[in-house]
Amino acid sequence: MSFVTTDDGAEIYFKDWGDRDAQPIMFHHGWPLSSDDWDAQMLYFLGKGYRVIASDRRGHGRSSQISTGHDMDHYASDASAVVEHLDLRNAIHVGHSTGGGQVARYVAKFGEPQGRVAKAVLVAAVPPLMLQTDANPGGLPMSVFDGFRSALAANRADFFQAVASGPFYGFNREGATVSEPVVANWWRQGMMGSALAHYEGIKAFSETDQTEDLQTISVPVLVLQGDDDQIVPYQQAALKQHELLSNSTLKIYEGFPHGMLTTQADVLNSDILAFIQQ
């Protein structure tokens, strides 16, 4: 397996498939998952001739279960360590949910200043801010995230099963066709990681204000989200991202859930490819 070691000792696992001279696409996964969540995208874009890369966030998947650094700054710095190790240039960065926050912070702080980024894609991403505050009255109250922390600490396995079999993929909607293998794969990825990283990561994805990150980014960005996202409300996410970004394209999918990169992979893959090829 391939790893890069960060300045503070975290070992970050990454996959790197395809022709080294091809344009790279790097994928950034959501909480509490791993790079495996991008299987459908990595195989698709590899087949289209791209070099595809994905890493496991610190404390997630196969990366080391380090006890520190579970915040958006470290997430972005770790992504940069992988990029610099592989010397990726003219790259497209695609992030889902918390991974979308990671992409926004990485592109703003590292990718654009280093001249390594061509475009970015935010899929059901958490920026600019999930938490309800005086300045963000439409956000979710702290009690929602405290509930996540309590459920995770009490029984992480049960909590992850409930998320995957319910709101994440919209399997709790009337008439939904539930895929037990998809639920099992979500649970498998989550349980591979560190309970501490997952617990502290809730603060990272809910309380990090990324308004400035979005305003800083100048490369073209594709913003994608479903209007039936039960995890990250699209009115406070995709719509605001589009407002804050200076060079963005917005697409809202009717009825798509938070986990649409899996359940509607064919639609997303096609739309992302079209954006990359523009």
Side-chain angles (χ1 to χ4, degrees):
M1 292 196 292
S2 299
F3 293 87
V4 62
T5 302
T6 67
D7 291 342
D8 67 341
E11 295 182 326
I12 305 300
Y13 167 80
F14 65 89
K15 307 173 186 182
D16 180 11
W17 304 344
D19 187 337
R20 297 301 181 265
D21 293 326
Q23 185 174 21
I25 305 175
M26 185 166 174
F27 297 92
H28 305 250
H29 66 81
W31 176 97
L33 304 173
S34 76
S35 56
D36 292 353
D37 205 39
W38 291 107
D39 284 353
Q41 285 70 39
M42 292 188 70
L43 289 171
Y44 175 85
F45 286 99
L46 179 66
K48 296 295 183 182
Y50 292 91
R51 178 183 180 183
V52 292
I53 303 98
S55 61
D56 291 353
R57 190 170 299 117
R58 64 170 56 206
H60 295 61
R62 287 140 294 208
S63 291
S64 62
Q65 296 198 8
I66 189 168
S67 64
T68 57
H70 304 298
D71 55 71
M72 205 61 75
D73 281 335
H74 280 87
Y75 296 167
S77 178
D78 293 349
S80 184
V82 174
V83 169
E84 292 176 55
H85 175 74
L86 297 175
D87 195 25
L88 303 181
R89 299 182 183 277
N90 193 35
I92 295 99
H93 286 267
V94 184
H96 174 245
S97 196
T98 301
Q102 180 173 305
V103 165
R105 180 61 52 91
Y106 164 76
V107 172
K109 189 172 181 179
F110 299 97
E112 280 209 51
Q114 294 172 354
R116 293 181 178 273
V117 178
K119 295 181 179 182
V121 181
L122 302 180
V123 181
V126 297
L129 177 63
M130 287 191 71
L131 182 67
Q132 183 183 71
T133 64
D134 289 343
N136 187 43
L140 298 172
M142 182 65 80
S143 59
V144 170
F145 305 109
D146 286 342
F148 289 174
R149 280 182 276 263
S150 295
L152 189 152
N155 191 324
R156 183 168 61 135
D158 272 357
F159 177 48
F160 285 179
Q161 180 74 16
V163 172
S165 62
F168 196 90
Y169 296 111
F171 291 154
N172 57 337
R173 294 306 197 199
E174 185 176 354
T177 300
V178 179
S179 171
E180 293 299 342
V182 166
V183 173
N185 189 44
W186 198 100
W187 188 91
R188 173 192 68 85
Q189 291 179 69
M191 295 304 292
M192 287 172 65
S194 157
L196 176 62
H198 295 159
Y199 187 92
E200 294 191 351
I202 294 168
K203 179 181 177 68
F205 73 66
S206 64
E207 297 183 41
T208 305
D209 188 338
Q210 297 195 257
T211 300
E212 185 174 343
D213 291 332
L214 296 172
Q215 291 173 329
T216 299
I217 294 169
S218 63
V219 296
V221 181
L222 177 62
V223 176
L224 306 175
Q225 193 162 10
D227 68 1
D228 195 32
D229 189 325
Q230 300 174 67
I231 305 296
V232 180
Y234 79 97
Q235 299 93 334
Q236 298 299 312
L239 298 188
K240 287 191 174 182
Q241 292 158 24
H242 184 54
E243 291 175 0
L244 291 165
L245 290 160
S246 63
N247 188 5
S248 64
T249 301
L250 173 68
K251 186 158 190 176
I252 303 296
Y253 299 98
E254 184 177 355
F256 281 20
H258 188 64
M260 61 185 182
L261 67 90
T262 299
T263 52
Q264 284 86 14
D266 55 341
V267 176
L268 265 68
N269 290 350
S270 178
D271 287 346
I272 293 171
L273 178 64
F275 170 71
I276 290 173
Q277 293 180 335
Q278 286 176 357

